[in-house]
Structure formats: C-alpha cells, structure tokens
Amino acid sequence: MGLFGSNKSSPLDIVTKVSVFPTIGSIVLRKDNKLLVFSPQYLLGKHGDTSREVASKFMNLSLAKQLLELIDNYVSSSKLSGERVEIKEMNFGSPVGTDALVKISPEQAGMLHQENVRGNMINTIFVDKGKIPTTNLLNMILVPFNPQYGGGVEQLFKQKYGGIIGFEHFEGAYAVLTIFPGKYAPPMSDASFWNQHALLKEMN
C-alpha cells in the first residue's frame, strides 16, 4: 500500500482510449469505465460534406480522426446512461456545418416536392448553390450497443485484448446512432414533425 492508499491496478488498464478495427470500419472509444462504438464511414456517409443525400451537412469534416476528436470532446462517461442519449443543439462555437431544416406553412404542406430520405418521403425545397445557411449547432444520438448491428466489433475487441477483457467487463457500451449539424430534428419516421418541415436542397 502506498503512502496515500492502494495503487492496485485494474485489469481494464490494458484497454487503450481508442481501439480501431479497420476490417469492419469501427472505432471503440473508451470513456472511463464505459465504451462508445461508432463507424466513421456510416456517420459521414449520412451527413458528411461529400454526402449526396438531402440533409444538413458537416463542413470541413471528412476524416475519421476529425470525427473521433469531435465525439471525444462532446461525450463524457456521465452522459452514457439510459436507453437513449440525446445531446441536442450544442454550440460548437464556430460554423460546423449547414442547417437544411426549415419550417413550412400549412399552405405549403402537400404542395412541395418530396424526396425519399432513408425510406421516408420528405418535403424538399430547392435553393441556389451556397444558399443553405451555416450553423454552429451540433446534435448526437446515442443508444445502448446492440451486437446485432455491431458487425462483430465486440468479438474483435476481446481478441485485441487477448481474450481477457470484453465489453461485458465495462459498466456499459453505447453506439453513436447519428450525429448531425443544425437544429434538432426527430427521426424521419415522425410524420407529425416532418409534415410541418422541409429540407433545403442545392440545385446542381
């Protein structure tokens, strides 16, 4: 025992802050005694600045390292609790992307062009290139990790640490369901919200 108490190490000490699994494109970020799993390719594919999907887009965010730093900065272990973690409209302090979400009038509802966005028909308004406003706001949605959608990351994690330490040894494991800039919006399946809103889309 040391002068100020025990210096006994924990078996979890072998787990590094960041574990990368290139074969499945996943990253596991350790936050104290909890884990956070995410796929940069999936997240950037939805809202990255090169995405062709109608949505709010990140600016100058196209690398996994940038995404890792952003998530690490905004998610603490204390926030990783419950069945769904919504970190809404955090102020990034400078433009982090574009905000394509706009509210529409009752007169416009049912008259606008609609596009299929992730399986849902969403109102769309065409604007000139460069006319979608920028935003300082950022949103993240996290859910408890589900192995069914993890691509085997929990098995690769255990292999990486010699079969000794697995997800089950941590207080909890979460996955980043989505991350996007702009005002908060519920899932595309929320018809009551999306019937009153539209997404701006740049004309080619």
Side-chain angles (χ1 to χ4, degrees):
M1 179 174 289
L3 183 61
F4 299 104
S6 173
N7 292 321
K8 186 178 179 181
S9 62
S10 163
L12 299 185
D13 289 346
I14 66 171
V15 177
T16 58
K17 181 176 180 178
V18 180
S19 302
V20 181
F21 302 96
T23 56
I24 58 170
S26 291
I27 293 176
V28 178
L29 175 62
R30 178 178 176 177
K31 304 297 287 186
D32 297 329
N33 288 336
K34 298 176 183 177
L35 300 175
L36 186 56
V37 182
F38 63 96
S39 166
Q41 183 178 6
Y42 171 72
L43 296 173
L44 293 174
K46 292 170 68 177
H47 296 280
D49 52 11
T50 59
S51 170
R52 304 179 80 176
E53 191 170 282
V54 183
S56 297
K57 303 285 177 63
F58 284 112
M59 295 169 55
N60 306 314
L61 178 63
S62 58
L63 302 176
K65 181 181 178 182
Q66 294 172 312
L67 188 63
L68 170 62
E69 291 173 350
L70 188 151
I71 292 171
D72 188 27
N73 287 338
Y74 279 98
V75 182
S76 63
S77 62
S78 62
K79 291 179 179 176
L80 299 177
S81 64
E83 288 303 307
R84 183 180 173 93
V85 180
E86 297 182 344
I87 307 176
K88 299 179 182 178
E89 299 186 0
M90 300 168 291
N91 195 320
F92 191 70
S94 60
V96 69
T98 59
D99 187 359
L101 180 68
V102 293
K103 189 171 177 61
I104 59 175
S105 67
E107 292 76 25
Q108 290 175 300
M111 298 176 61
L112 294 174
H113 169 77
Q114 291 191 326
E115 283 200 26
N116 189 317
V117 182
R118 295 191 284 281
N120 299 274
M121 298 308 293
I122 302 298
N123 295 311
T124 307
I125 298 174
F126 291 93
V127 297
D128 292 334
K129 198 166 184 64
K131 294 299 183 182
I132 299 179
T134 60
T135 179
N136 292 359
L137 301 179
L138 181 73
N139 306 274
M140 270 190 245
I141 310 297
L142 317 172
V143 293
F145 172 74
N146 186 335
Q148 182 179 350
Y149 305 108
V153 66
E154 76 283 5
Q155 299 162 13
L156 294 174
F157 182 89
K158 196 159 193 173
Q159 291 172 16
K160 179 179 177 71
Y161 295 106
I164 301 170
I165 300 295
F167 278 25
E168 68 274 13
H169 293 96
F170 288 81
E171 292 177 8
Y174 281 74
V176 181
L177 181 64
T178 189
I179 176 171
F180 59 93
K183 294 182 290 292
Y184 175 79
M188 295 290 181
S189 56
D190 187 337
S192 61
F193 178 89
W194 287 103
N195 285 342
Q196 302 175 54
H197 291 81
L199 290 175
L200 302 177
K201 181 179 182 181
E202 290 185 339
M203 291 186 291
N204 294 327

